[in-house]
Amino acid sequence: MQIEKPLIINATESEKLKPILPKPVILSTPVTGWNGFYFAYHRQLNHKIPETCPSQHISAICIEGFQANMKINKQWQHKSYSPSDVAIFPADQISPAVEFEQELGFIILCLEPAFLHRAAYESVDADNIEIIQQLQTHDPLIQQIGLALKRELEISIVDSRLYAESAANMLGVHLLKRYSARKLNIREYTGGLPKHKLKEAIAYINENLEENLSLA
């Protein structure tokens, strides 16, 4: 008997997601040019997702409570999620198949592995970064990051890049600190920029206010 392989998914390839997320995305950031971060807000009817293997680190945030069946260790289990629950699916790790029993609104926050390496301030060997999968956890910070980004992007996507990248950087550091398989020594910076550097940065911002400035 042929064993089905997990479906490899890339959150930035919307056309290839249609078999598992048939309804079009309601709100999202551009798939390119946002420094390895992608946000999407969906509302999907009761649908099924097979076993998958994501290319990005994905944090999924519930908008409202829902019921689902999830295939864990080859056994289907019934699970109930509350509006404050989140799930974390690390890149290149197998995520279980899920059957949703109702229409569902949810936010996904996707970080490219390279983004997570940058979030560690270059103090961590890339080979030592391993995020632990969370099928259901209560994490108010991830929830608030997702909801804040949704509100910001609903106002304007055009000038929200700096806001989004700052939130994504916070998310990356949070994932590394709370959900890493190894204790990581993430460098902390204090004292801020020297005055002349801060002056240069402010001048650059003022001179480029009409541009969609990035955090970099």
Side-chain angles (χ1 to χ4, degrees):
M1 184 176 69
Q2 186 177 5
I3 299 176
E4 291 187 8
K5 295 182 178 180
L7 177 66
I8 297 175
I9 58 171
N10 185 327
T12 65
E13 297 177 343
S14 57
E15 288 298 315
K16 294 183 179 179
L17 295 178
K18 284 184 177 179
I20 60 174
L21 297 175
K23 295 186 69 176
V25 64
I26 295 174
L27 179 68
S28 69
T29 54
V31 297
T32 58
W34 282 56
N35 205 23
F37 169 69
Y38 178 68
F39 165 101
Y41 169 56
H42 289 266
R43 285 206 71 88
Q44 297 290 336
L45 297 173
N46 50 325
H47 60 290
K48 300 178 181 180
I49 297 178
E51 204 172 55
T52 57
C53 185
S55 299
Q56 293 90 9
H57 300 289
I58 297 177
S59 298
I61 302 165
C62 308
I63 299 297
E64 64 263 340
F66 68 95
Q67 308 289 317
N69 295 310
M70 188 173 292
K71 196 172 186 180
I72 303 172
N73 296 326
K74 299 182 180 181
Q75 299 291 326
W76 286 100
Q77 299 181 19
H78 186 77
K79 298 183 75 68
S80 297
Y81 285 78
S82 71
S84 59
D85 286 339
V86 302
I88 300 170
F89 305 105
D92 303 319
Q93 293 186 29
I94 297 174
S95 301
V98 187
E99 294 180 347
F100 297 97
E101 300 180 352
Q102 62 203 75
E103 182 178 2
L104 173 64
F106 59 94
I107 291 169
I108 59 171
L109 307 176
C110 305
L111 299 178
E112 296 287 352
F115 188 104
L116 211 58
H117 300 161
R118 292 194 298 270
Y121 304 113
E122 300 179 351
S123 63
V124 176
D125 184 348
D127 293 334
N128 288 330
I129 293 178
E130 181 185 353
I131 301 301
I132 301 171
Q133 186 178 86
Q134 307 289 323
L135 299 180
Q136 184 178 21
T137 186
H138 181 70
D139 195 312
L141 178 57
I142 294 179
Q143 181 193 33
Q144 289 305 313
I145 289 174
L147 293 175
L149 281 168
K150 180 176 178 290
R151 288 191 293 268
E152 174 68 17
L153 295 170
E154 284 172 339
I155 297 170
S156 174
I157 294 178
V158 175
D159 57 359
S160 295
R161 180 176 175 180
L162 181 60
Y163 186 99
E165 287 188 2
S166 299
N169 197 65
M170 180 185 296
L171 172 64
V173 173
H174 181 64
L175 291 177
L176 288 166
K177 283 191 169 183
R178 181 165 177 181
Y179 300 107
S180 175
R182 301 176 179 87
K183 182 175 177 57
L184 303 178
N185 181 26
I186 300 176
R187 190 180 304 152
E188 300 280 355
Y189 291 97
T190 59
L193 290 172
K195 287 185 178 180
H196 71 282
K197 288 290 185 181
L198 179 60
K199 190 174 180 180
E200 288 179 8
I202 293 173
Y204 180 85
I205 292 170
N206 288 331
E207 291 169 4
N208 295 273
L209 288 175
E210 296 181 358
E211 302 294 328
N212 190 8
L213 296 173
S214 69
L215 183 60

